[in-house]
Amino acid sequence: MREPANDAPYRLIDDVEFGHNVVVSPFTNLYGCRIGDDTRVGPFVEIQRGAAIGARCKIQSHSFICAGVEIADEVFVGHGTLFINDKFPRATTDEGVLKAEDDWELVRTVVERGAALGSGVVVMSGVRVGSGALVGAGAVVTHDVAPGATVVGVPARAIERP
């Protein structure tokens, strides 16, 4: 499919591979990405070229999913969640020239099936959030999260689930 299942104004959609019944809210930027069946994308979300979103996901408002992020099926991404894909971000090279596409290394990130990221989570580049893991609101994920684990805080650390 080339279009989401719904009609909403004020969206930038370019070169997106949509599954069936995808709903995309207004004020979104989606380009060069893949979005699976029955996924819901909230308003003010950006999903960049090279990102992949699985089926039956919920991407809440104001989230940023950059190139190199792979989100599996049935993942919840809370409001204002941010992904990072560069370990050493800089605007310019050592010579003072504005960096171009070839001047940095894309570092991939994976969120496995059924994981949930609370509102305001920041996921640093190169980490894997395991299947069924729960990341508490406002956490900064700097290391891999084990499947089924619950992590909270800055940096995110495992806690026991009640």
Side-chain angles (χ1 to χ4, degrees):
M1 291 182 66
R2 293 186 173 267
E3 295 295 322
N6 64 314
D7 184 29
Y10 312 111
R11 301 186 293 202
L12 168 65
I13 297 176
D14 181 44
D15 189 29
V16 177
E17 181 183 325
F18 288 106
H20 296 287
N21 298 319
V22 172
V23 174
V24 177
S25 297
F27 305 107
T28 55
N29 293 325
L30 311 175
Y31 47 95
C33 57
R34 188 175 75 239
I35 302 175
D37 295 346
D38 301 312
T39 287
R40 304 293 182 255
V41 178
F44 303 103
V45 168
E46 180 164 338
I47 304 175
Q48 292 187 325
R49 188 168 312 287
I53 312 297
R56 297 172 307 284
C57 293
K58 289 183 82 175
I59 311 299
Q60 300 295 81
S61 70
H62 300 87
S63 293
F64 175 71
I65 302 171
C66 54
V69 172
E70 179 184 332
I71 295 176
D73 297 344
E74 301 170 9
V75 169
F76 178 84
V77 176
H79 300 279
T81 294
L82 302 173
F83 288 86
I84 311 296
N85 62 3
D86 186 356
K87 287 200 181 283
F88 304 101
R90 294 283 185 261
T92 60
T93 65
D94 291 341
E95 295 77 32
V97 177
L98 193 61
K99 280 190 168 187
E101 185 107 7
D102 295 337
D103 292 323
W104 66 285
E105 179 185 348
L106 173 68
V107 182
R108 300 196 175 280
T109 299
V110 174
V111 181
E112 295 179 348
R113 183 185 190 114
L117 309 176
S119 294
V121 167
V122 176
V123 181
M124 301 304 289
S125 58
V127 301
R128 179 176 292 271
V129 178
S131 179
L134 175 62
V135 179
V140 176
V141 181
T142 60
H143 293 88
D144 290 354
V145 177
T150 298
V151 299
V152 298
V154 179
R157 291 186 167 89
I159 63 167
E160 293 292 322
R161 283 192 185 183

